[in-house]
Amino acid sequence: FSALSLFGMVPAALMGHDIDGVLSKGIEMSLACRSEDIEANPGVSLGALMACGASQGLDKLAIELGPSLESFGLWVEQLVAESTGKNGKGIVPIVGEPLARAVQPTDRVHVSVDLPTPEAIGGEFMRWEIATAAAGALLGVNPFDEPNVRQAKEATASLLEAYKTNGHLPIRQPDLVDPHATLTLSEAARQSLSGPGSWRVFTLLRSGDYLGLLVYLAPSASIEDRCRRTRADLARQTGCATMFGYGPRYLHSTGQLHKGGPNTGVFVIVTADPDSDLDVPGEAFTFGVLERAQAIGDYIALERAGRRVLHVHLPAPTADALAVVLDRLLEA
């Protein structure tokens, strides 16, 4: 909710953007959103659509954007997921999903965003902020807190304290150690799978579920392309919605929804040993240890919330290593 505050506008000004134009569009939208006629109110009507959909089983909000608005989609994803996903309720924002229109499941509301000018994004910031607040009110949740984000932070802090004492992270016994990956299932995932088979986690997806692919690897076009193809394959095979996020960024984006929203997510958390590592200044651990502790801390928080989770640890932090695992998961 801080996009049009100094927090968002000072960096934009330093980058040379037309701040007056952006803010004027935000003010125009703010005035339009004061209308008591809901159908004429661009923010409240969008929020009513979002909440109505979630209340009737259409809790996936497929947001369709042009290439120039991809980063705006990440902001909408965080705003909607973090604000509405709590108390077992929530709206699941789906951004960048292949085949969004080709697959027509019965759990999705589609919203397309198109801007006449670059400055019009100021109005969209305001529209979506008001819409999300309205949706939260209609769903009966407080859109301005994030109670479940703290759970992953606390689990991570405990892991790092153990590392400083023992020199290693307390990692549980994996379900499968394979040359291509080490696989560890949450209790809910293990119980839901009939018999052994850690590679079969995608079979847990039921109608109305969604997959969260959460990758603690360095962002790259090759990794994103491989994850995009996996999302497309799953959409064709299951009709289920899919989310993709880089860790640890997603912890403060969709992480609240994953743990506090409806228990309809199946999550695959991917980590790998780093090629090179650096000490965290003033701490007794490295950035690689910190990153892995954040991933395991989120795994623990998800497991405590009864979520179906698979933690995959790769032998190398590469797109090729990830592709081998994703192919095996799809094949199974």
Side-chain angles (χ1 to χ4, degrees):
F1 289 97
S2 60
L4 293 177
S5 72
L6 292 174
F7 183 83
M9 289 296 98
V10 169
L14 293 172
M15 292 168 68
H17 292 300
D18 179 5
I19 300 305
D20 288 340
V22 170
L23 290 176
S24 67
K25 293 299 182 183
I27 292 169
E28 287 179 15
M29 182 64 70
S30 176
L31 294 173
C33 289
R34 296 186 183 192
S35 173
E36 294 184 7
D37 179 356
I38 290 180
E39 291 187 1
N41 187 315
V44 176
S45 61
L46 175 57
L49 172 70
M50 293 160 59
C52 183
S55 299
Q56 297 185 27
L58 302 170
D59 65 342
K60 314 302 186 300
L61 183 67
I63 304 164
E64 299 169 17
L65 306 157
S68 65
L69 290 174
E70 286 185 2
S71 56
F72 176 74
L74 294 177
W75 175 81
V76 173
E77 179 184 63
Q78 174 172 356
L79 178 73
V80 173
E82 195 169 47
S83 301
T84 69
K86 55 203 75 172
N87 301 334
K89 304 176 183 178
I91 298 164
V92 183
I94 304 298
V95 179
E97 183 180 58
L99 306 175
R101 284 290 185 184
V103 179
Q104 294 293 339
T106 58
D107 65 347
R108 228 161 292 192
V109 170
H110 290 267
V111 176
S112 297
V113 179
D114 188 26
L115 302 184
T117 65
E119 294 75 23
I121 199 168
E124 289 306 304
F125 282 137
M126 182 61 68
R127 183 208 303 266
W128 282 91
E129 288 176 10
I130 291 173
T132 302
L138 291 168
L139 290 173
V141 299
N142 178 3
F144 305 113
D145 67 356
E146 47 176 30
N148 299 99
V149 171
R150 184 176 63 254
Q151 297 169 352
K153 289 182 181 179
E154 291 172 350
T156 299
S158 296
L159 289 166
L160 291 173
E161 285 301 315
Y163 180 88
K164 287 189 282 188
T165 301
N166 305 317
H168 60 84
L169 292 172
I171 299 173
R172 70 172 54 185
Q173 185 71 23
D175 292 88
L176 176 67
V177 178
D178 183 274
H180 301 294
T182 299
L183 308 183
T184 308
L185 290 165
S186 69
E187 187 60 31
R190 193 178 299 111
Q191 290 181 0
S192 297
L193 287 169
S194 55
S198 303
W199 291 109
R200 294 172 49 245
V201 70
F202 286 167
T203 66
L204 296 178
L205 288 166
R206 302 184 295 263
S207 177
D209 285 347
Y210 69 93
L211 175 78
L213 186 54
L214 312 172
V215 179
Y216 287 76
L217 301 174
S220 72
S222 57
I223 286 174
E224 289 171 27
D225 178 67
R226 190 60 191 80
C227 290
R228 188 178 296 111
R229 282 189 282 142
T230 297
R231 295 176 71 186
D233 288 340
L234 275 175
R236 279 190 292 263
Q237 292 181 28
T238 69
C240 290
T242 60
M243 306 178 80
F244 167 75
Y246 281 114
R249 186 195 71 84
Y250 77 84
L251 293 173
H252 292 274
S253 176
T254 55
Q256 169 62 43
L257 171 80
H258 297 164
K259 292 176 280 289
N263 192 357
T264 54
V266 174
F267 304 99
V268 176
I269 298 175
V270 181
T271 59
D273 291 327
D275 285 332
S276 59
D277 211 347
L278 292 171
D279 291 333
V280 176
E283 294 289 355
F285 48 81
T286 65
F287 280 102
V289 170
L290 171 60
E291 181 182 79
R292 193 168 183 186
Q294 288 176 304
I296 298 172
D298 192 47
Y299 170 91
I300 291 170
L302 287 164
E303 181 171 52
R304 288 172 179 169
R307 275 26 179 181
R308 295 160 290 169
V309 192
L310 173 66
H311 176 205
V312 177
H313 189 71
L314 303 176
T318 64
D320 288 342
L322 176 64
V324 170
V325 168
L326 292 179
D327 285 343
R328 290 194 65 177
L329 290 172
L330 284 167
E331 181 182 356

